Amino acid sequence: MTTTNSHVITCKGIVSWGKGEPLKVEEIQVEPPKSNEVRVKMLYASVCRTDLLFANGFPIPAFPRVMGHEGVGVVESIGEGVTGLREGDLVIPAYIAECKTCETCMSEKTNLCLKYPLSYNGLMLDGSSRMSIRGQTAYHAFSCSTWCQYLVINVNFLIKIDPKTPLPDASFLSCGFSTGYGATWKEAMVKNGSSVAVFGLGAVGLGAIKGAKSHGAIKVIGIDNNPMKAAKGRAFGMTDFINPEESDKSIAELVKDLTAGMGVDYSFECTGVPPLINQAIQSTKLGTGKIIQMGVEEPNVNINIIGLLVGRTLKGSIFGGLKAKTDLPIIYSKCKNREIQLDELLSHEIKLEDVDKVFELLKQPDCVKILIKI
């Protein structure tokens, strides 16, 4: 089915013009969708700390960049070859595709689709852009740009969801919380009766806490230097809290103090802060400890290899190992049944025009998730 909305739309979006430059609201021209593409009218978006990296040119300094990769919207128009969607459908964008036909999509080993691979170049699959600013090509984040009133995305990166889903929940689950939850479920495969340490209690970390608890972990240790995060952690199932600034001991030592000197079965590192990666390794059990790395702050870090030679496993994870079309609906159903309550995530809500507040709000001690009303 192809819709007839073939005109260019001029709308507003939040743009980064370069590293260190302030974000600005700009008028953006959004082209109609081409074959296997969908144009979406965004309703809400949310802020992930990865957005700060994109604004500063990581991993590729492609500017001007129309920001955002978390959000929820409705289908405005569809291009040729798109099936299963119609105008008005509620959808969320994902940065991991699932074609369901390639070798990896048909396996349980990874969520990285071979046919529609993860992209960092800020362009569509054909190497072009559907956005421009005063005639200049604009780049997006991952597969799309959610901090914009309209976006164009390849249909394989789009998930149709229940129209009754609360819009803030839909936006939050499009990246951060789902990443943490998925890492416990699909990557670590947390076992009943196990012990877990979670480094960083933002949305990803809180997702990891909830996922670990849901899969039977009996000791879930949250680690953050912000004491205000303790209450958030407990709301999602944390059993113990460590504030590293309150002790002269290393984090690994503090974790072992809570686990009879053994360490935990699993560590989930959600910050990307280089020293914490090694602490996450050292916090797990000798011989069997598993560390899932989700956070990123720098492209290259120094790893204490001795900590891995003694039998521990360090595994990187994108989107928590979740297959977008197969696994996200399962998490949504848990939210619908109130098994997962995302109300605790929302700390701030702003309008699109309040762009100058975004990264300052991220620095506030009570900030977990910022919702942007598009």
Side-chain angles (χ1 to χ4, degrees):
M1 177 181 178
T2 303
T3 55
T4 57
N5 297 344
S6 58
H7 61 286
V8 173
I9 291 177
T10 298
C11 63
K12 292 181 178 180
I14 298 175
V15 178
S16 171
W17 284 94
K19 183 177 181 180
E21 296 289 324
L23 299 179
K24 294 183 179 180
V25 176
E26 300 279 7
E27 284 199 344
I28 299 169
Q29 286 69 52
V30 181
E31 297 175 7
K34 294 185 178 181
S35 177
N36 294 313
E37 295 176 355
V38 178
R39 189 160 60 185
V40 178
K41 179 181 180 180
M42 295 304 295
L43 302 175
Y44 282 92
S46 44
V47 182
C48 174
R49 292 187 184 274
T50 304
D51 296 315
L52 181 58
L53 297 177
F54 275 119
N56 287 317
F58 178 88
I60 296 174
F63 298 106
R65 188 185 292 274
V66 186
M67 297 292 295
H69 63 281
E70 295 186 359
V72 58
V74 293
V75 173
E76 181 268 342
S77 56
I78 59 179
E80 293 184 8
V82 174
T83 59
L85 289 174
R86 62 179 61 190
E87 288 184 28
D89 282 346
L90 190 67
V91 291
I92 63 168
Y95 57 93
I96 298 294
E98 183 183 359
C99 72
K100 295 191 175 185
T101 59
C102 74
E103 177 184 345
T104 56
C105 283
M106 295 177 70
S107 80
E108 292 297 321
K109 295 180 179 179
T110 179
N111 62 337
L112 296 176
C113 179
L114 295 177
K115 191 174 182 180
Y116 303 100
L118 176 66
S119 174
Y120 299 104
N121 64 9
L123 298 170
M124 303 299 288
L125 296 177
D126 64 2
S128 64
S129 175
R130 302 292 172 268
M131 300 181 298
S132 61
I133 304 171
R134 297 184 290 277
Q136 182 176 354
T137 295
Y139 300 86
H140 49 65
F142 290 126
S143 63
C144 63
S145 295
T146 59
W147 298 5
C148 190
Q149 291 173 326
Y150 289 86
L151 62 83
V152 175
I153 186 170
N154 183 282
V155 67
N156 291 282
F157 292 85
L158 206 57
I159 301 101
K160 179 180 176 180
I161 60 173
D162 187 336
K164 296 180 181 178
T165 304
L167 298 181
D169 288 5
S171 185
F172 294 158
L173 287 176
S174 62
C175 178
F177 185 88
S178 296
T179 295
Y181 190 95
T184 66
W185 170 28
K186 309 297 281 191
E187 302 280 27
M189 301 179 190
V190 168
K191 299 293 190 298
N192 191 49
S194 61
S195 55
V196 166
V198 178
F199 289 70
L201 302 189
V204 177
L206 294 174
I209 286 174
K210 182 62 179 179
K213 196 68 175 178
S214 297
H215 289 88
I218 56 175
K219 181 170 283 294
V220 181
I221 305 169
I223 301 151
D224 203 294
N225 59 9
N226 179 0
M228 296 184 71
K229 295 294 181 69
K232 294 290 184 183
R234 292 191 180 95
F236 285 94
M238 181 184 73
T239 60
D240 300 87
F241 180 71
I242 292 174
N243 182 346
E245 295 186 350
E246 295 179 348
S247 175
D248 293 330
K249 292 183 178 181
S250 70
I251 296 174
E253 290 175 312
L254 295 171
V255 169
K256 289 175 180 176
D257 286 345
L258 293 171
T259 54
M262 297 293 291
V264 292
D265 296 297
Y266 312 95
S267 277
F268 297 90
E269 208 296 300
C270 310
T271 71
V273 177
L276 293 186
I277 300 173
N278 283 305
Q279 287 297 306
I281 294 171
Q282 297 295 337
S283 294
T284 62
K285 293 178 179 177
L286 291 173
T288 60
K290 182 177 288 188
I291 307 93
I292 307 299
Q293 182 64 42
M294 291 171 280
V296 59
E297 189 174 87
E298 300 176 13
N300 299 297
V301 297
N302 292 319
I303 298 295
N304 183 346
I305 195 67
I306 300 299
L308 297 178
L309 289 177
V310 291
R312 299 181 178 105
T313 302
L314 173 63
K315 188 181 191 303
S317 177
I318 289 287
F319 199 39
L322 295 173
K323 295 180 185 292
K325 294 180 184 291
T326 298
D327 298 327
L328 272 186
I330 296 173
I331 300 179
Y332 275 113
S333 69
K334 292 181 182 296
C335 293
K336 185 177 179 180
N337 296 333
R338 305 300 289 170
E339 295 175 51
I340 298 175
Q341 300 184 33
L342 297 181
D343 306 26
E344 291 286 341
L345 292 180
L346 178 60
S347 55
H348 300 84
E349 184 172 344
I350 64 173
K351 297 179 180 178
L352 188 70
E353 294 77 13
D354 297 327
V355 54
D356 56 315
K357 299 179 181 178
V358 169
F359 292 145
E360 285 302 314
L361 287 174
L362 278 179
K363 299 176 184 177
Q364 299 301 312
D366 63 336
C367 183
V368 179
K369 291 299 288 186
I370 303 168
L371 188 68
I372 303 175
K373 186 175 182 178
I374 305 296

